[in-house]
Structures are given as C-alpha cells and as structure tokens.
Amino acid sequence: MEPVIVAQDIRRSFRSSKKEEGKNSTWKYLLKPEWVEHHALKGVSFSIEPGAFVGLIGANGAGKTTLLKIFSGLIPPSSGTARVLDQEPFKRSLDFRKQISLVMGQKAQLWWDLPAVDAFDLLRAIYEIPEKTYRDRLGMLAELLDVQKLLNTQIRRLSLGERMKMELIGALLHWPKVVFLDEPTIGLDVLAAQKLREFLREFNRREKATIILTSHNMDDITRLCSRVLILRSGEMLYDGSPQKLTREGEKRLRVRLQEQPTLEQLAATTQIPIERITFPKPEDADAGDEGEGTLPAAYLTVNSQTLMPTLQAILAKYTPIDLGIEEQGLENVIKRLFQEEASGITKRP
C-alpha cells in the first residue's frame, strides 16, 4: 500500500532574540537584537502506512509537537518534504483539511460557552456533513465515550476528562482519514485515560484511520501502538515495534559501588559489552536516585542467563553499596536510550 504520511529529511529551525540583563541592554534589544537559531528537527525521515497506530515519543523539546504541526499544515518545514494523503500540508487545501484532524491535549478547540451539541452542530456546518450522517456519527461517538447525558452541558462546566472526550468527538465528526493526537490523556485520572484509550483503539479498528499519538504516558503507547518513533533533540533515535525495545528476558541491573570503577573497568570485570552499561548524568537519574554526596550508580543491561554470573563477578571484585534489579519496561528502555545517546555510546536497536 502507498504510505499515507511521508517525511523526507524534514528540518525545522526557529529564530529567537536574545536579551541580556540590565536597562542598557533594552535599547540594544530593541534597535539591534541578537538572534539565536534553534533547531527543532534535524533531518527526520520515515513513512506510515494506512490504518497504522503510531506512537511518537520524546522528551520535552524533542520536536514531537513541531512535527505534528508540520503534518497538519500549521507550519512549514524549513527544508525537506512532508506529504500527507499525497498532499503538501502547508498548502491547507479544503480537501486536505476535511481529511485530517489535530487534537492537542493542552489546548481547547471547542467553544467554551456553548453546549457541546451546539459546538458540534457548528462543526457539522463547517465540514458540510449531511444531517443524517452527522446524527449517526454523533450518536456512535457519544455512545463509545459514554457522554450522551452531557451533550447539552456547556463545555466550560465539564470536567477535564469530559472536555477531552468532547474535543475528540469534535475532531472526529468529519471522519478524518488521518488523526494527530498530541498528549490527549494529559491531566486525566486513571479511569478517564483508560476510557479514552479504549475509544481510540476501537475507532482505529472500526474506521481504519491512521493515527499518530504523542504521549509521555507509556501506558498509552504500549496499549495502543504497534510502532513507535523516538525523537531526541530533533533526531530520529528509533523506529520500530515496542516489543523489539523490550526484549523478553532482559533486565536492568543497578549497582552502586564503593570503589567507583570506570565504565571500561566494569565492562572488563563483568564481560558485559560496554554499550550495555551506562552511568546516567545527574539530570537523567531517577528522582531520588542520586543525592548530594551520593556515589553514582551504574546500570547494566543483562538477560536471565547472565544476571547471576554478572552479580558474582561484581561482588568478587567490588564492595556494593546498593543493588537493584529492574524489569525492562518500555519506560525504562526509552530512558536508557536517552541516557546512552547522551553519552555518545548508543547502538540504535
């Protein structure tokens, strides 16, 4: 099948003016500002097939939202090519806008002072949806999200989870072929997030819509997405299935040692490849893992067969202060990828 979304060497840069402290710098800032270049995307390339449910992962500032804005036509790429449904998004043709949708969890898109049903009726007119088709779709979406009793309530009087459900209905009434979701479950409680995930899975299954989802919640990614794209500092770090990241039987061994061996010494002692050992930077460490005056911990990726020999080798040569074994959940694996990439030793999976 022909891909629905194509990114070829997409780059996006922004300029911002820099202001120094002090009154005298204000005139300089106004009359002769100093510009700083920021590179949000640095040559991103991939393609997505019809009906795929893809997770887009990255830390804050990795370029996720910028990429979704390019695909939805809100901003153009600085260079490279973006194609969605075989169209150039930034041209924003009427046909293109009728086939895509963008939902941003941190930004309300419906009219707050209107009851939800009135806001949907306005969208029906904007998208020129036939009356019967509109009623059928609204009934199905409201039933799937369990909000039939809330349709006549003003948007601003709804809870955050209820508003998010209405945002999704508004975004899907015109039956888009491509849906971009930017943090749709942010701020939701566990039950509301679960309901939204169930709805998105069902909509993808029924309508074969192509969906790209960004989220910091790994439950969203593992339960919905068959493919993940990982961005770091505007570059593609990984493109593949979540299962390949969380290889069965792999564990992460955390050791804090009195002797503080180097990475090379630890690799030689344990016979673990050097690329599977990391010393996280302080800003990358788990909350509360490293404190002032605390010796740094090392993390070794091992499997079930090498776990005990690795522990025995460490205990034979070093004095442990702290030991721990972590399952290789998707969240831990992605965090490890970021740490290894920052250390310059990552081998891409």
Side-chain angles (χ1 to χ4, degrees), residues 159-207:
S159 69
L160 177 59
E162 292 165 347
R163 287 203 304 272
M164 198 63 239
K165 290 179 181 180
M166 297 304 182
E167 292 283 350
L168 276 172
I169 291 176
L172 300 177
L173 275 174
H174 61 292
W175 243 232
K177 294 181 180 178
V178 179
V179 182
F180 302 110
L181 303 172
D182 190 19
E183 297 282 357
T185 59
I186 191 169
L188 302 187
D189 60 45
V190 174
L191 183 59
Q194 180 183 344
K195 289 286 186 182
L196 276 180
R197 282 194 292 266
E198 291 172 356
F199 167 75
L200 291 171
R201 185 188 300 110
E202 183 65 13
F203 184 80
N204 173 252
R205 185 189 67 81
R206 283 194 187 189
E207 307 306 325

Side-chain angles (χ1 to χ4, degrees), residues 239-312:
D239 178 358
S241 70
Q243 290 75 22
K244 287 184 179 179
L245 281 172
T246 56
R247 289 182 285 268
E248 188 175 357
E250 277 200 348
K251 301 180 184 298
R252 194 167 79 146
L253 176 62
R254 184 187 73 252
V255 294
R256 187 176 287 114
L257 305 170
Q258 184 68 51
E259 292 82 2
Q260 300 184 62
T262 65
L263 189 147
E264 290 78 10
Q265 290 172 332
L266 201 53
T269 299
T270 61
Q271 300 301 305
I272 297 294
I274 199 167
E275 64 270 14
R276 298 175 75 79
I277 306 174
T278 57
F279 285 97
K281 295 179 180 180
E283 63 268 23
D284 294 327
D286 293 330
D289 188 52
E290 309 286 352
E292 185 177 351
T294 302
L295 296 177
Y299 292 86
L300 299 86
T301 301
V302 297
N303 57 44
S304 301
Q305 289 71 37
T306 59
L307 175 59
M308 288 309 297
T310 300
L311 272 173
Q312 289 170 355

